[in-house]
Amino acid sequence: REDVYIGKKSITRPIRSVYKGNFVDVTFATGGAGVCVSSALARKMEPWCLAGKLAETADDLRLPDDCTLGFVIINKLGGNLTTSPLFHSHLEGLNNVKMASLRKQVSLSFSTKNVININHGNSKNQVFNATIDPTRFMSLHCFLFETAEFCE
């Protein structure tokens, strides 16, 4: 019922752009880590985001979709970004995410050489080698859901 926008910034300062002839500073949560937007806030975003309008707004803003979401929420609707350290994009050192905290994370991303570190298995957890599981998501799945059929 409340306006909620949660995510993690990929950069510490706003990005400056031009929107319909005016300079604007845009603060946003990186889409690569994922974001959470409440349904109440999403309904308010409709004039700029519904039925193809997100692409139009992004073109007018000259920035990607995640920046555009932040622009609509903060600049147009007066909302705020609640930052959370539980969102992770490929732009940060994912090997620094501790195994003991994996169950608490909201999102995890990856790039070819930037993956979470799952380095041990036991009788309940299957850890696949990096050739079979280069993203480490199969191993993460087995860590989180140890009774999954392919984990045994």
Side-chain angles (χ1 to χ4, degrees):
R1 292 183 211 142
E2 297 178 25
D3 293 350
V4 178
Y5 173 40
I6 305 171
K8 187 175 193 176
K9 295 179 185 179
S10 60
I11 57 174
T12 57
R13 59 176 172 63
I15 290 180
R16 179 156 276 213
S17 190
V18 175
Y19 180 75
K20 297 189 176 184
N22 297 311
F23 285 104
V24 291
D25 292 325
V26 179
T27 299
F28 65 98
T30 182
V35 300
C36 290
V37 176
S38 67
S39 58
L41 182 56
R43 283 189 291 280
K44 292 176 184 176
M45 296 167 62
E46 289 179 0
W48 299 276
C49 302
L50 186 66
K53 293 198 181 221
L54 179 64
E56 291 175 22
T57 305
D59 287 345
D60 290 343
L61 187 58
R62 303 178 195 170
L63 289 173
D65 54 355
D66 53 357
C67 300
T68 304
L69 290 176
F71 169 75
V72 169
I73 293 167
I74 295 169
N75 296 64
K76 291 298 198 181
L77 297 173
N80 294 304
L81 170 62
T82 300
T83 58
S84 170
L86 303 179
F87 291 73
H88 300 281
S89 83
H90 64 284
L91 300 173
E92 62 184 282
L94 294 170
N95 60 338
N96 293 325
V97 178
K98 305 287 185 225
M99 250 186 97
S101 74
L102 285 176
R103 293 184 193 284
K104 298 176 185 175
Q105 304 310 309
V106 172
S107 68
L108 295 162
S109 186
F110 79 98
S111 65
T112 306
K113 296 186 184 207
N114 184 13
V115 296
I116 58 171
N117 184 19
I118 294 190
N119 55 12
H120 73 279
N122 58 36
S123 60
K124 293 183 180 179
N125 306 98
Q126 172 71 37
V127 175
F128 300 95
N129 70 47
T131 303
I132 294 171
D133 183 17
T135 66
R136 310 314 286 147
F137 287 136
M138 288 172 53
S139 297
L140 174 62
H141 184 83
C142 291
F143 176 74
L144 297 174
F145 306 102
E146 34 191 64
T147 60
E149 188 174 319
F150 77 90
C151 300
E152 295 176 358

